Every structure is written in C-alpha cells, then in structure tokens.
C-alpha cells in the first residue's frame, strides 16, 4: 500500500526537524505553473518507516523514485514528481507485491498537511479514493 492512510515517521529526528523548519518558514509556489521547478521539498531523499497491519514498511526516496519495501522481499516502486514543496504525485512503475488494488501506471496525489515531531501527516488521493 503506497503511503495510504498511514502516518509516516522519519527515522532520523534531525530530518523531521528540517521538514518542520522548511514547512513553516518557506512560502508555497504556485502549483498551476506548467514549467514549475521545485527546488526544496518537505521530504528529502532518505528512508522513512510506517506500520501497516503490524508490519513495518520501509520507504526510500532516492533519485526521483519512491520505493516501499514490504515483508517477504515484496516491494512497490513509483516515480515521484513534486508539484509544490508539500505536494507530490506517484506513478507506479514496478510492483512485486501480492493483493494490491492497483497496477503499474496507477497514480496517486499526496499533500503533506502537518509535521509534528518525527511524524509526517498527509492526505492522499488514489484514483478517487482519499
């Protein structure tokens, strides 16, 4: 499950502190601009963790890709594209995970709504499901 309705937790509290500082001190850019280049984002490259059904899921953001590592060597991989410092879209490009309700090519839009301590809260829309 790609960052569904879970709370994402940064593994490093310094990283979460940087997120908070960026979130509250910088202004949002207009996401309607077609040639918008996002230089700073609330999620930096690195590893994060969330729990789903009692399992710890590791999320890695690196080189423009978002990968979730699940138990039993299963994973989902998506291209991450930022439209603002607090908004991004994922497009699934590779899946090796059983029982998912989506497939390669599925898109999900996410907005980071709050950062509190080492926790990152967000809202996602996966093909009409929020």
């Amino acid at each position: 499950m790609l960052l569904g309705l879970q709370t994402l937790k940064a593994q490093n509290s310094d990283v979460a502190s940087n997120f908070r500082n960026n979130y509250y001190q910088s202004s949002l850019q207009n996401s309607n601009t077609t040639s918008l280049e996002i230089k700073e984002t609330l999620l930096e490259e690195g590893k994060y963790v969330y729990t789903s059904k009692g399992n710890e899921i590791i999320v890695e953001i690196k080189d423009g890709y978002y990968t979730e590592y699940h138990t039993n060597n299963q994973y989902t991989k998506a291209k991450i594209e930022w439209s603002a410092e607090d908004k991004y879209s994922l497009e699934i490009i590779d899946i090796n995970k059983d029982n998912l309700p989506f497939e390669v090519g599925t898109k999900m839009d996410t907005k980071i709504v709050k950062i509190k301590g080492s926790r990152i809260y967000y809202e996602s829309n996966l093909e009409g499901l929020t």
Side-chain angles (χ1 to χ4, degrees), residues 56-72:
E56 194 170 85
I57 311 303
I58 297 172
V59 174
E60 181 178 42
I61 298 174
K62 185 175 179 181
D63 298 329
Y65 293 94
Y66 169 104
T67 307
E68 288 188 357
Y69 297 97
H70 299 264
T71 57
N72 300 322

Side-chain angles (χ1 to χ4, degrees), residues 1-3 45-46 50 58-70 74-82 88-97 100 102-110 126:
M1 174 177 176
L2 287 168
L3 282 188
E45 287 194 353
Y50 73 87
I58 297 172
V59 174
E60 181 178 42
I61 298 174
K62 185 175 179 181
D63 298 329
Y65 293 94
Y66 169 104
T67 307
E68 288 188 357
Y69 297 97
H70 299 264
Q74 295 187 39
Y75 64 89
T76 57
K77 186 172 184 175
K79 177 83 173 129
I80 187 169
E81 190 170 306
W82 291 87
Y88 62 87
S89 295
L90 298 176
E91 181 175 353
I92 307 298
I93 60 168
D94 192 13
I95 297 175
N96 178 15
K97 174 89 175 83
L100 291 179
F102 50 84
E103 56 193 31
V104 170
T106 300
K107 293 182 182 181
M108 181 176 77
D109 297 315
T110 299
L126 176 67

Side-chain angles (χ1 to χ4, degrees), residues 1-31:
M1 174 177 176
L2 287 168
L3 282 188
L5 299 175
Q6 306 296 323
T7 301
L8 187 66
K9 184 174 180 182
Q11 287 185 315
N12 181 331
S13 62
D14 291 337
V15 172
S17 177
N18 288 339
F19 294 156
R20 269 195 313 281
N21 292 338
N22 287 342
Y23 185 73
Y24 293 114
Q25 293 177 2
S26 44
S27 61
L28 297 178
Q29 298 180 24
N30 182 352
S31 62

